[in-house]
Amino acid sequence: MPGSERTVVWFRKDLRIDDNPALAAAARDGAVLPVFIWCPAEEGRFYPGRCSRWWLKESLAHLAKSLEALGCPLVLIRAQTTLDALLQCVHSIRATRVVYNHLYDPISLVRDDKIKNELLGLGISMQSFNGDLLYEPWEIYDENGLAFTTFNMYWEKCMELPIEISPSLAPWRLVPVSGIENLCTSSIDNLGLESSKDEESSNALLSRAWSPGWRNAEKTLEDFVCHGLLDYSKDGMKVAGTTTSLLSPYLHYGEVSVRKIYQLVRMQQIKCGNEGNSEAGESVNLFLRSIGLREYSRYLCFNFPFTHERSLLGNLKHYPWRADEDRFKSWRQGMTGYPLVDAGMRELWATGWTHNRIRVIVSSFAVKFLLIPWTWGMKYFWDVLLDADIESDILGWQYISGCLPDGHELGRLDNPEVQGQKYDPDGEYVRTWIPELARMPGEWIHHPWDAPSSILEVAGVELGFNYPMPIVELHMARECLDDAISTMWQLDTAEKLAELDGEVVEDNLSHIKSFDLPKVVLKELSPSAPHCDQKVPTDDGRNLELQPKELTGLNKQTICVDVIKASKMEDTGSIVNSPISRKRSSSGSVFDVPSCSSSVEVRSQNQRPGGYFVGSSKYILQKAERNCFDKAEDDDSAHSGTNTSRASKRPAASQG
């Protein structure tokens, strides 16, 4: 029998009935008010884009029908502040408790902590749950209580720990509360998720390929496990056609539980092991690794909350990014003159989705060939991706830019022509998205500038007229990249000398026309909350300076708490499959991270005098051994084609 509690269930990115810990707890203990609050003013920098908002609207409609069938309508509220809306809900139904599932990005952590403190001060019980991860970020630390800064070491530690893979059962019935009539509610259409008729007509195309909603997510998962999982490794080499899981947008809005995914995939892994199917086992392991990368993206954002605006490796603060808006525009529009890059960017703009391999290729081109600031690329991906995910996008762009200890080697330059021959050998993908090259023979399609004039004439290609010449030639890109790295190390050395004189050297990104990113400070958390609750900072009203803190596991977290300001953003789409025909493939926003055993520990400045500064936070990163990059070109190089990496021109004075 349900208890006597009157509980507000605050839905966010957990739009499902099955395996929803917050909903299950509320249903077990009494009457329930399910509520979703849309507060555009609070989204600020992370305001979702068009296609992402379309997905949200469709998913909410799907969830509303499911909740109605269980006996409880979903209350939708458009508000100026989330706190005011929750207070309205609490007072209207005389609620005794508010429950929700955790989020891990810096903006949500700050907002959730503020709301929790306000409601607790009013005597209202607040309880939060893990509905998004296999492991909470504050559960995984090394033997010294320090945060991992390489994926492999993090994931190895995770695999040593037990995983609770028994999903929470979906409630079969919900008891509604009285007092809903006192609420100022909104219809789905009046939430304003589609802001114009033009958006509505554009979004109509998305519904032909995608089917948002938690039940559709479960169908997609079942279809992938039955028909796509065992070929995941082999199909991942293709950028055209159906090659991956299509689960990323469902995961973004929490329409499917990561625990459920893990459980089904692990069952296949055990089956493959028993049958001795090594090839299928490799595919399963690769897919589980992609789940691990998603976990790691949350882990990094939680433990290093500045990574949405600064690189993890502090020496990158001196990197001379080229704030060239014309080149940035050419990259966005798919007019760089490199067919595979242009095809990827045009697909991204047209559909809001593109294969993970293409995401790696186009982002690498932006930061290595064009020297475009990685924060610009991350912002653009957030604007246009249907499955745009803050934490995953941060991990991907920092990795590609060489901002992580196990990321791409800073001097690595991948050749788009070679990548095209590897991942699109017949030119099918390029012809689909670049009609100007539709009649180019496969031999020349990835480097039309080398084709004889007779071939170009027959194909109807006039370079510089209906298709651009390369925006920068490979040898020039190589030279500019080497010069940029050399400049970075020179500035890094100059900073270390300047620090001896008490000077402060700013981050180069701070001088670039950028996007209004939230500014954060650090405070220390004393975990007095129950084990299941979100580990969040306490707010004592003081804006503390960024100070070196030692991460000491569950009992002493360091986390970002104060968001000073925010602005506005936009986003776009992906494509879903049916059980019969999976029309597109999606591996999510997470970029593949290389196999690398090196680790970097985060310690206080007083503990370890050497190392790299991590931005202005005064964290010290112990210098990582980078030889894994030299020996293997990492896992991603197996996917990204031949590179033209050279030894960087690092001055001897900055060695060590």
Side-chain angles (χ1 to χ4, degrees):
M1 287 288 293
S4 58
E5 293 270 12
R6 299 170 68 83
T7 303
V8 175
V9 182
W10 180 20
F11 280 92
R12 283 103 65 82
K13 293 180 180 177
D14 51 355
L15 306 182
R16 63 181 185 272
I17 303 297
D18 191 36
D19 191 25
N20 188 321
L23 179 62
R28 186 170 55 246
D29 296 336
V32 174
L33 174 65
V35 61
F36 178 85
I37 300 166
W38 177 239
C39 182
E42 288 183 352
E43 298 296 329
R45 157 98 170 75
F46 299 111
Y47 183 80
R50 174 181 65 84
C51 290
S52 184
R53 283 183 278 112
W54 168 82
W55 189 287
L56 174 60
K57 180 179 178 181
E58 296 298 312
S59 184
L60 285 171
H62 187 95
L63 178 66
K65 290 180 181 178
S66 298
L67 289 169
E68 189 77 42
L70 293 175
C72 265
L74 174 64
V75 172
L76 301 173
I77 299 177
R78 182 184 172 102
Q80 287 299 313
T81 72
T82 302
L83 176 59
D84 289 344
L86 283 174
L87 287 173
Q88 181 191 4
C89 293
V90 168
H91 296 323
S92 296
I93 68 167
R94 302 189 304 278
T96 55
R97 183 174 60 157
V98 175
V99 298
Y100 59 96
N101 293 313
H102 301 159
L103 295 176
Y104 305 93
D105 63 274
I107 304 302
S108 297
L109 285 170
V110 174
R111 178 189 58 205
D112 294 357
D113 184 49
K114 178 182 177 182
I115 290 172
K116 187 173 185 177
N117 289 334
E118 290 280 350
L119 294 185
L120 288 175
L122 296 173
I124 300 164
S125 173
M126 294 284 289
Q127 191 173 7
S128 59
F129 301 86
N130 176 13
D132 188 53
L133 295 175
L134 299 174
Y135 307 94
E136 293 285 22
W138 50 83
E139 295 175 346
I140 312 296
Y141 291 92
D142 67 14
E143 61 274 9
N144 298 315
L146 302 174
F148 292 104
T149 54
T150 59
F151 171 71
N152 281 347
M153 297 191 72
Y154 162 80
W155 193 233
E156 286 171 9
K157 179 67 174 180
C158 289
M159 292 296 95
E160 294 173 2
L161 302 176
I163 299 178
E164 181 186 346
I165 59 173
S166 299
S168 305
L169 294 176
W172 63 273
R173 179 175 173 270
L174 295 173
V175 178
V177 296
S178 57
I180 297 180
E181 62 277 2
N182 300 323
L183 289 169
C184 182
T185 62
S186 175
S187 67
I188 287 182
D189 288 334
N190 290 335
L191 284 179
L193 296 174
E194 290 180 312
S195 58
S196 68
K197 291 295 182 183
D198 288 340
E199 282 197 357
E200 290 181 16
S201 59
S202 297
N203 291 343
L205 298 175
L206 293 174
S207 61
R208 298 163 134 190
W210 290 99
S211 301
W214 71 275
R215 289 194 183 278
N216 294 319
E218 293 191 343
K219 293 177 183 177
T220 303
L221 173 59
E222 292 169 4
D223 180 54
F224 171 68
V225 170
C226 292
H227 303 112
L229 177 60
L230 300 186
D231 293 324
Y232 184 75
S233 177
K234 178 178 64 177
D235 290 346
M237 296 293 289
K238 306 172 185 175
V239 296
T242 300
T243 58
T244 52
S245 70
L246 304 173
L247 290 172
S248 56
Y250 295 107
L251 276 168
H252 174 66
Y253 279 114
E255 296 164 301
V256 63
S257 158
V258 71
R259 284 190 296 262
K260 186 167 188 176
I261 294 174
Y262 184 86
Q263 186 177 34
L264 291 177
V265 173
R266 274 287 289 145
M267 290 171 62
Q268 284 289 342
Q269 187 180 42
I270 294 170
K271 181 180 177 182
C272 291
N274 292 337
E275 294 175 351
N277 189 341
S278 59
E279 183 176 343
E282 180 184 349
S283 288
V284 174
N285 290 336
L286 185 61
F287 182 76
L288 287 177
R289 182 181 173 86
S290 71
I291 294 296
L293 287 168
R294 181 179 182 274
E295 299 269 316
Y296 186 55
S297 70
R298 272 86 178 138
Y299 180 82
L300 277 184
C301 279
F302 183 88
N303 288 289
F304 306 101
F306 55 82
T307 49
H308 64 301
E309 57 183 347
R310 298 199 305 276
S311 62
L312 185 62
L313 291 177
N315 53 284
L316 267 294
K317 71 186 288 186
H318 303 298
Y319 194 82
W321 300 106
R322 183 170 179 174
D324 189 323
E325 296 190 11
D326 290 335
R327 286 191 167 195
F328 184 47
K329 181 178 180 180
S330 297
W331 176 75
R332 294 195 322 265
Q333 293 180 342
M335 295 294 286
T336 69
Y338 287 91
L340 187 63
V341 174
D342 292 342
M345 295 306 295
R346 294 187 192 189
E347 181 189 25
L348 181 61
W349 174 252
T351 69
W353 186 90
T354 190
H355 190 287
N356 179 63
R357 190 67 51 237
I358 293 296
R359 300 184 196 200
V360 171
I361 290 168
V362 300
S363 58
S364 179
F365 186 88
V367 297
K368 299 297 181 68
F369 271 71
L370 305 181
L371 303 183
I372 291 171
W374 66 267
T375 51
W376 287 23
M378 184 186 74
K379 161 69 163 60
Y380 183 70
F381 267 33
W382 174 263
D383 284 351
V384 299
L385 281 170
L386 179 70
D387 56 358
D389 183 272
I390 298 171
E391 298 94 335
S392 295
D393 288 344
I394 290 171
L395 175 63
W397 280 91
Q398 289 235 11
Y399 161 63
I400 287 297
S401 304
C403 299
L404 300 178
D406 55 354
H408 268 186
E409 185 181 8
L410 194 57
R412 170 175 167 174
L413 191 70
D414 293 323
N415 187 337
E417 176 187 340
V418 176
Q419 292 171 319
Q421 292 167 350
K422 183 171 186 178
Y423 300 116
D424 186 33
D426 299 325
E428 175 188 354
Y429 178 74
V430 167
R431 291 188 187 92
T432 299
W433 295 105
I434 307 182
E436 307 97 287
L437 302 180
R439 291 188 288 170
M440 279 294 292
E443 179 184 357
W444 304 104
I445 195 164
H446 292 296
H447 53 121
W449 55 86
D450 288 331
S453 57
S454 58
I455 296 292
L456 293 173
E457 184 177 355
V458 170
V461 176
E462 189 173 345
L463 295 176
F465 179 71
N466 63 353
Y467 186 70
M469 292 290 291
I471 192 170
V472 58
E473 294 186 10
L474 182 63
H475 73 278
M476 287 300 298
R478 172 77 269 165
E479 184 175 331
C480 290
L481 181 60
D482 286 347
D483 288 344
I485 294 171
S486 177
T487 299
M488 180 196 75
W489 287 121
Q490 291 171 13
L491 292 174
D492 186 66
T493 301
E495 180 195 28
K496 288 177 171 56
L497 295 175
E499 283 171 353
L500 298 177
D501 298 327
E503 296 180 20
V504 177
V505 181
E506 292 187 79
D507 192 323
N508 277 354
L509 280 174
S510 66
H511 299 291
I512 292 176
K513 178 181 171 184
S514 186
F515 312 98
D516 201 7
L517 300 176
K519 306 299 179 187
V520 299
V521 297
L522 300 182
K523 294 183 183 178
E524 191 175 282
L525 169 67
S526 177
S528 58
H531 176 71
C532 65
D533 269 356
Q534 175 94 51
K535 298 299 184 249
V536 293
T538 56
D539 188 357
D540 59 6
R542 293 182 295 113
N543 285 347
L544 302 182
E545 293 297 325
L546 293 164
Q547 297 293 334
K549 298 286 184 181
E550 181 179 319
L551 299 173
T552 55
L554 188 59
N555 295 321
K556 199 174 187 183
Q557 304 298 330
T558 306
I559 188 170
C560 149
V561 293
D562 290 320
V563 174
I564 309 300
K565 60 193 287 193
S567 66
K568 194 167 183 176
M569 290 200 54
E570 199 186 345
D571 189 29
T572 333
S574 201
I575 316 269
V576 77
N577 66 320
S578 67
I580 306 290
S581 173
R582 298 167 62 231
K583 304 175 187 176
R584 281 200 179 278
S585 60
S586 166
S587 57
S589 295
V590 179
F591 295 73
D592 295 336
V593 168
S595 299
C596 175
S597 61
S598 65
S599 69
V600 176
E601 294 181 340
V602 180
R603 298 184 181 271
S604 121
Q605 186 174 358
N606 293 330
Q607 282 182 296
R608 188 177 294 274
Y612 299 144
F613 284 97
V614 181
S616 61
S617 70
K618 297 297 191 269
Y619 277 115
I620 302 297
L621 288 179
Q622 177 189 355
K623 184 181 176 184
E625 292 296 334
R626 302 288 302 226
N627 57 0
C628 60
F629 299 114
D630 297 327
K631 70 181 180 183
E633 289 263 314
D634 65 51
D635 281 17
D636 194 80
S637 72
H639 319 328
S640 299
T642 302
N643 78 65
T644 58
S645 176
R646 287 186 196 166
S648 64
K649 304 176 184 177
R650 181 179 177 184
S654 62
Q655 296 283 352

